[in-house]
Amino acid sequence: MVWRGENLNKSYCSRTGAFTSKCHTVLSGVSFHVGDKEFVGLAGESGSGKTTLARIALRLEPAESGKLCLAGKSYADYQDRREFYRNIQMMFQHSSEALNPRWQVEQVLEEPLRYLTELSPEKRRERIREAMAAVSLPASLLRVRPATLSGGQAQRVCLARAIILQPNFIILDEPTSSLDMVIQYQILQLLRKLHQEQGISFLMISHDLGAIKQVADRIVFLHAGQIIENVATRQLNQVKHPVAKSLADAARL
């Protein structure tokens, strides 16, 4: 398997007085995995713990307890930050926050190659052209800044940046939430194409179960920080938990 989390726990605490504090559990005993070349959806309402789980998976914040493995190695065994991030990348929800507005698209795509690989300038340019082609964007957009891109183009640039290191595993955080229906469909088709042709494992985090079920092999449901269902997409109509069932029913409307 490409990624695994076991018994992950996370709480946030805030002071309520000089000597007292109140803690809120965000993740409680969360365990699941993403297999090699598997496309998994992580569904749940807002506040269910999805984004926190993604941040923990990316080492942007620590879990309080539990075990994490990536590409067959425990997170604790990744002493080289560059090796870790060559294996895992993320496509963030808001392209406006993920893309540096002062840089041209070419600079945005070159940054991870400069800092996380030892590729020559010529090889970096070649990898950039390949990534742009993979997300169906013309090379002419390499010289423009993100503000001039349409919403769909900006999401494709974010995806190109995620795949440019050729990682084993990519986390997609609400990749279609800010797009109209036509562009949503195009992005989902592109994700399916990359999954099939490049064999990338994906974890797609979304509250939109309708979008998830178009691309995912398996769907994990998260509610109040706990896994409540873990089913193959083709068995979605068999979920039992009331929250998962209500999400599944809504996706059929």
Side-chain angles (χ1 to χ4, degrees), residues 143-204:
R143 298 298 182 183
V144 306
R145 288 183 168 79
T148 67
L149 300 172
S150 68
Q153 288 173 333
Q155 285 298 86
R156 288 171 187 262
V157 170
C158 288
L159 184 54
R161 191 181 189 280
I163 68 172
I164 203 162
L165 291 169
Q166 299 176 346
N168 296 312
F169 182 41
I170 295 177
I171 299 173
L172 308 165
D173 185 14
E174 301 280 3
T176 61
S177 64
S178 59
L179 305 174
D180 64 45
M181 294 298 293
V182 173
I183 304 301
Q184 278 189 31
Y185 176 78
Q186 292 173 352
I187 294 296
L188 291 172
Q189 290 295 105
L190 177 57
L191 291 172
R192 180 183 291 145
K193 178 173 178 283
L194 289 171
H195 173 60
Q196 293 172 346
E197 294 183 356
Q198 298 192 17
I200 301 169
S201 295
F202 286 105
L203 176 65
M204 178 173 166

Side-chain angles (χ1 to χ4, degrees), residues 57-127:
L58 281 163
R59 276 183 158 177
L60 297 179
E61 60 180 279
E64 289 171 3
S65 61
K67 183 178 180 181
L68 290 155
C69 295
L70 175 66
K73 290 176 61 174
S74 168
Y75 275 33
D77 293 334
Y78 280 97
Q79 302 301 316
D80 183 352
R81 177 178 176 274
R82 299 195 309 167
E83 181 190 3
F84 179 80
Y85 286 109
R86 283 196 297 266
N87 279 293
I88 183 171
Q89 284 289 300
M90 184 167 181
M91 180 179 173
F92 291 91
Q93 178 177 359
H94 301 294
S95 59
S96 59
E97 297 174 4
L99 304 177
N100 189 323
R102 297 187 299 273
W103 288 357
Q104 294 178 347
V105 168
E106 185 172 26
Q107 293 171 289
V108 169
L109 298 181
E110 188 179 23
E111 182 195 26
L113 297 175
R114 286 175 61 89
Y115 290 102
L116 299 176
T117 76
E118 297 181 359
L119 293 176
S120 67
E122 182 181 352
K123 289 293 185 181
R124 292 200 299 265
R125 287 191 293 271
E126 181 181 338
R127 187 76 68 84

Side-chain angles (χ1 to χ4, degrees), residues 181 208-211 213-214 236 245-253:
M181 294 298 293
D208 185 353
L209 186 58
K213 72 178 187 177
Q214 291 185 53
L236 187 58
K245 194 172 186 305
S246 67
L247 289 171
D249 289 343
R252 284 194 288 268
L253 296 178

